[in-house]
Amino acid sequence: MSEKAVVAPRRGPRGRVRRQVLDAARELVESAGYSAFTVDALVALSRVSKTTIYRWWDNRAEVALDMMEDAYGLPADVDEKGTTRSRIERCLSAEMTYHGGPAGRVLRGILADAQHRPALAATVERRYLAPRRAVLQHLVQRGIDEKEFRCDANAELMASLLIAPFLQSLLTGWPPRTEDLPREVVEALFIGLRVTPC
Amino acid sequence: MSEKAVVAPRRGPRGRVRRQVLDAARELVESAGYSAFTVDALVALSRVSKTTIYRWWDNRAEVALDMMEDAYGLPADVDEKGTTRSRIERCLSAEMTYHGGPAGRVLRGILADAQHRPALAATVERRYLAPRRAVLQHLVQRGIDEKEFRCDANAELMASLLIAPFLQSLLTGWPPRTEDLPREVVEALFIGLRVTPC
């Protein structure tokens, strides 16, 4: 499984309608923030009917995620060089950089929205969060398989623990995004708290 | 420093006005959800003027946090028994239980709101998030001081790593809240990923 393969495929129509909707979505979000991003506003600006929009997208989170990927891409892919630990670090650096750019503002808006609407929460989980965790889980599992990490580590839990401080940072500002944070997080999770003979 | 001492003191007026405002806040949030909780709705239901409300509370997050603490308390205090590791586990269990109750819905609402309004983000950081991390940091530091944890651990970062999966769970549903989660998180952070001689 390549790291790319776990990212959910794009949805929605191709061509003119898709372009009109995604361009309008971007303009709305960038000019007035995610809280101004409603399907009604999208209909008005894109001149695509509500029926057509709902034929192709389940909800506004789905449109926003397509817009985000179209306009800003996804967190950068990590090359195969170095230890698994160093690749996890680079993967978290890419995620943190992504959060610090325009996509981070969109993600914050979608996640805010998701607190009040379970359907939006399910969309962002399926489309963004689960794929990001899957990349990390895949890397942790490789570290276990290649005996770089201990054999009884829980790769799924560890993937959650690795990404959680970055999502917390995105949504609460803590811990602050610093260049050293990915290295510090990975080191803390690698070494652990217990006292071991040096 | 006792674990209680790090929790920020309550603010706002005492007596009748406080009671009217907090009761109205609770009724609004419990009947229609946090998204219905605006200062205008609070004025209408409490019959306390907007001027008076803003004299005592900076914003609606401040009212909501007072209401939450008044109606639901704070996460349960952890007794002094056992190892520091077991106390951290119980502290995270108390936090997770709290998130699973009515206070969790209020916290989700405030944190959603905070994505669009920096002043609300600052309020929830100062009033709720920083005090919860401080309790954990205090416990980790004690574990370091008493040589239960390794001497070069970063207590502040570790506190963030301990709480982050629970905040992530509250806001994204992942990892799911299970009875075992606090033990699993603490164990993963205690043992770490590296291969050590058994």
Side-chain angles (χ1 to χ4, degrees):
Chain A
M1 182 173 69
S2 91
E3 285 159 35
K4 247 181 176 155
V6 295
V7 175
R10 289 188 193 182
R11 295 188 49 189
R14 303 203 166 272
R16 190 183 57 83
V17 165
R18 178 179 164 89
R19 192 73 273 139
Q20 276 174 258
V21 169
L22 298 191
D23 287 350
R26 182 175 185 172
E27 190 175 330
L28 282 170
V29 168
E30 291 189 350
S31 63
Y34 190 85
S35 52
F37 179 59
T38 62
V39 173
D40 286 335
L42 196 59
V43 167
L45 191 63
S46 68
R47 289 179 296 167
V48 173
S49 74
K50 193 177 274 196
T51 310
T52 300
I53 289 174
Y54 278 120
R55 184 183 310 146
W56 292 104
W57 289 276
D58 288 342
N59 52 52
R60 63 179 176 273
E62 197 97 55
V63 182
L65 287 162
D66 272 348
M67 178 282 278
M68 187 179 87
E69 194 175 330
D70 179 74
Y72 316 127
L74 282 170
D77 272 331
V78 168
D79 65 40
E80 302 263 331
K81 280 184 288 189
T83 60
T84 300
R85 176 176 165 177
S86 76
R87 288 168 60 195
I88 292 174
E89 265 183 47
R90 279 175 283 142
C91 184
L92 293 173
S93 280
E95 186 75 26
M96 187 179 75
T97 302
Y98 193 66
H99 290 179
R105 285 192 291 277
V106 178
L107 282 173
R108 291 178 66 183
I110 297 171
L111 284 163
D113 229 6
Q115 303 312 311
H116 306 297
R117 294 195 46 205
L120 305 189
T123 294
V124 67
E125 164 64 17
R126 177 176 54 79
R127 287 282 310 271
Y128 190 81
L129 300 172
R132 303 318 301 154
R133 289 197 310 273
V135 167
L136 286 163
Q137 181 174 336
H138 171 65
L139 284 170
V140 173
Q141 190 59 53
R142 183 182 308 195
I144 294 168
D145 295 344
E146 294 180 351
K147 302 196 184 344
E148 187 178 331
F149 300 152
R150 66 186 172 85
C151 60
D152 56 347
N154 178 337
E156 188 181 31
L157 176 67
M158 212 35 101
S160 275
L161 300 189
L162 285 162
I163 197 80
F166 297 92
L167 277 175
Q168 178 177 284
S169 179
L170 175 70
L171 295 173
T172 74
W174 197 270
R177 278 193 292 267
T178 60
E179 200 190 328
D180 288 339
L181 186 63
R183 186 186 53 71
E184 289 169 349
V185 167
V186 173
E187 185 180 49
L189 280 161
F190 186 72
I191 299 182
L193 272 173
R194 69 178 161 166
V195 178
T196 48
C198 297
Chain B
M1 179 175 71
S2 91
E3 286 161 35
K4 248 183 175 153
V6 294
V7 174
R10 289 188 194 184
R11 295 190 49 192
R14 301 201 167 275
R16 189 182 58 83
V17 165
R18 178 178 163 88
R19 190 73 274 137
Q20 276 174 256
V21 169
L22 298 192
D23 287 349
R26 183 175 184 172
E27 191 176 328
L28 282 170
V29 169
E30 292 189 350
S31 64
Y34 189 85
S35 51
F37 180 58
T38 62
V39 173
D40 286 335
L42 195 59
V43 167
L45 191 64
S46 68
R47 291 178 295 166
V48 173
S49 74
K50 192 177 273 197
T51 310
T52 300
I53 290 173
Y54 278 121
R55 185 182 309 145
W56 292 104
W57 289 276
D58 287 342
N59 52 53
R60 63 179 176 272
E62 197 98 55
V63 182
L65 287 163
D66 272 348
M67 180 282 278
M68 187 180 86
E69 193 175 331
D70 180 73
Y72 316 125
L74 282 170
D77 273 332
V78 168
D79 65 40
E80 301 263 333
K81 280 184 291 192
T83 59
T84 300
R85 176 176 164 177
S86 76
R87 287 169 62 195
I88 291 174
E89 264 182 48
R90 279 175 284 143
C91 185
L92 293 174
S93 280
E95 186 75 26
M96 188 179 73
T97 302
Y98 192 66
H99 290 178
R105 285 192 291 277
V106 178
L107 282 172
R108 291 178 65 185
I110 297 171
L111 284 163
D113 229 6
Q115 303 312 313
H116 306 296
R117 294 194 48 205
L120 305 189
T123 294
V124 68
E125 165 63 17
R126 177 176 53 79
R127 286 283 309 273
Y128 189 82
L129 301 172
R132 305 316 302 156
R133 289 198 309 272
V135 167
L136 286 163
Q137 183 175 337
H138 172 65
L139 283 171
V140 173
Q141 190 58 54
R142 184 182 306 194
I144 295 168
D145 294 344
E146 296 180 350
K147 304 195 186 341
E148 187 179 331
F149 301 152
R150 66 187 172 84
C151 61
D152 56 348
N154 177 338
E156 188 182 32
L157 176 66
M158 211 37 100
S160 275
L161 299 190
L162 285 162
I163 197 80
F166 297 91
L167 278 174
Q168 178 178 283
S169 179
L170 175 71
L171 295 172
T172 74
W174 198 271
R177 277 192 293 267
T178 59
E179 201 190 327
D180 288 339
L181 185 64
R183 185 185 53 71
E184 290 169 348
V185 167
V186 173
E187 185 180 50
L189 280 160
F190 185 73
I191 299 183
L193 271 174
R194 68 177 163 166
V195 178
T196 49
C198 296

